[in-house]
Amino acid sequence: SKLAALKEALDNGDALSVRFQAHTLKGASANVGAVVLQKMANHIEVAGEGGDLAEAGSLVSKLDEQLEILNKLVQPDF
């Protein structure tokens, strides 16, 4: 998944890959109208571009939480 690739890039300390994966996730979020996720991915992309992996990591944790919320809304347990 895109999130897994983003986390792997963070684990590897690869700011360029963090930026790329966040950019890809931003586009995918825009395609499905997930504006909050799109904005968060944009902030991660900017942090990756600036080499701020600590900030990117913090934002990825928040993005992960938002994705869980979205998944529950899209695929509710009945």
Side-chain angles (χ1 to χ4, degrees), residues 1-3 7 25 29 32 34 37 63-78:
S1 75
K2 299 291 182 206
L3 182 58
K7 288 178 178 180
L25 189 58
S29 298
V32 297
L37 297 178
L63 179 77
D64 200 7
E65 292 171 8
Q66 291 300 313
L67 279 170
E68 285 184 36
I69 292 168
L70 179 61
N71 281 334
K72 287 179 183 177
L73 292 172
V74 175
Q75 300 173 346
D77 295 329
F78 287 107

Side-chain angles (χ1 to χ4, degrees), residues 5-41:
L6 179 55
K7 288 178 178 180
E8 183 178 340
L10 271 172
D11 289 344
N12 292 332
D14 186 347
L16 184 61
S17 289
V18 166
R19 179 178 171 260
F20 174 76
Q21 295 300 334
H23 181 79
T24 302
L25 189 58
K26 180 178 71 175
S29 298
N31 287 340
V32 297
V35 177
V36 171
L37 297 178
Q38 180 184 2
K39 288 181 180 181
M40 292 181 84

